[in-house]
Amino acid sequence: MTTKNFYPAKKISTFYPPQRTLMGPGPSDTHPRVLSAMARPTLGHLDPVFTDMMEELKSLLRYIFQTSNLLTFPVSGPGSVGMEMCFVNMVNPGDKVIVCRNGVFGGRMIENVQRCGGTAVVVDDKWGAPVDPQKVEDALKQNPDARIVAFVHAETSTGALSDAKTLCEIAQRHNCLTIVDTVTSLGGSPVKVDEWKIDAIYSGSQKCLSCPPGLSPVSFSERVVELVKNRKGKVQSWFMDLNLLLGYWGTTRTYHHTAPTNALYALHEALVMLYEEGLEHSWARHQRNHTALKAGLQTLGIEYLVEEKSRLPQLNSVHVPEGVDEKEVRRRLLADYDLEIGAGLGDLAGKIWRFGLMGYSSRIENVMLCLGALETVLS
Ligand code: PLP
């Protein structure tokens, strides 16, 4: 019998990624301070020095989310895991959930509800438009048995910002809990969990937090904690069961899963940087750089997809000019300028570009690089 050789066919050595400028829908550039934090010595996830750092992380996240919710922590997994954690814990089979869909990520929320055995009542809005509060009000009147309202604050697929405060007020008037996606908004636009009385919120490390992908900050109100504690059946996912995770991220520190320690150092450093800058200053920086990019795009004759009042400063979606090969433009930007911009998703594929100005990528040098490169490539 011959022994099979599993060695890779070609020689493989250390991977050195090129130095790109990330101006797509995420991930955005990681700040050098955050990258170097990741390279510090790995600690055990139950080491007292590490668990002290976890407490700091929780209080930094409370600041970023503007909340005093005790159950605020980073989930070990990307934004999609944060999303799923909200739905698997809060939706029981047979539950009715109002889900707002004005882009790709609202569609994923519908999938989540259905996979939990719930019924999604879908409130559709045009891609590029914000969620219409009147439609949500109407859906709640028609479905008085609905228990939850779920929506995406900042739709990354279109660049539209919805009015989270008003949507939460409507949900509360109808005795519903809220699940809010802030993957693209957190750190770049105001997010006020306590003031808006959001019940469950999740985000991602890789957008306006200047951190690599792979972690999902979440926060849950006392109402959700009570709901989950009093559930009749077990949460169908072992890994995402909040009751079990509380044993590690709550007041005790028992082994649940091996936390990604170095990734958590990175998030800690990214949040320290946001805390040093000040949240309001970060929101203002995102707005300033958006205004600069917008002015330059206008001189190139490029138009926005989203109406001015609902535009996300950190995610600029624009129409591809007539007769332009959009794929070729993106290819040249990457090949000649090491500059990544985003394409359209779903129905908007081939029709729009998405320019991200998120976190460490939201800098005036990037705006200038992007405008100069785009002008050359389009001429
Ligand atoms: N929700 C929104 C609004 C997003 O933009 C994304 C990712 O881009 C996600 C959810 C999913 O996050 P992740 O890709 O980190 O799983």
Side-chain angles (χ1 to χ4, degrees), residues 25-27 77-83 104-106 108-109 152-157 181-185 202-207 213-216 345 354 358:
S80 306
V81 181
M83 178 190 279
V104 167
F105 295 99
R108 288 198 185 172
M109 286 179 151
V152 178
H153 186 210
E155 229 330 323
T156 327
S157 58
D181 177 320
T182 58
V183 170
T184 284
S185 48
Y202 60 91
S203 189
S205 48
Q206 75 273 29
K207 310 246 183 185
L215 291 171
S216 175
L345 284 182
R354 290 179 297 157
M358 303 177 181

Side-chain angles (χ1 to χ4, degrees), residues 84-113:
E84 200 147 339
M85 178 171 280
C86 296
F87 287 94
V88 291
N89 280 278
M90 292 167 68
V91 179
N92 285 302
D95 282 351
K96 209 180 235 190
V97 182
I98 308 283
V99 185
C100 308
R101 175 174 56 186
N102 60 341
V104 167
F105 295 99
R108 288 198 185 172
M109 286 179 151
I110 298 169
E111 270 276 319
N112 269 276
V113 171

Side-chain angles (χ1 to χ4, degrees), residues 50-107:
F50 182 73
T51 55
D52 283 352
M53 194 270 308
M54 287 166 71
E55 284 309 308
E56 290 188 357
L57 246 181
K58 291 199 289 185
S59 58
L60 287 164
L61 281 177
R62 288 190 192 105
Y63 166 61
I64 307 298
F65 276 129
Q66 302 275 281
T67 184
S68 54
N69 283 342
L70 283 179
L71 192 50
T72 302
F73 64 97
V75 176
S76 306
S80 306
V81 181
M83 178 190 279
E84 200 147 339
M85 178 171 280
C86 296
F87 287 94
V88 291
N89 280 278
M90 292 167 68
V91 179
N92 285 302
D95 282 351
K96 209 180 235 190
V97 182
I98 308 283
V99 185
C100 308
R101 175 174 56 186
N102 60 341
V104 167
F105 295 99

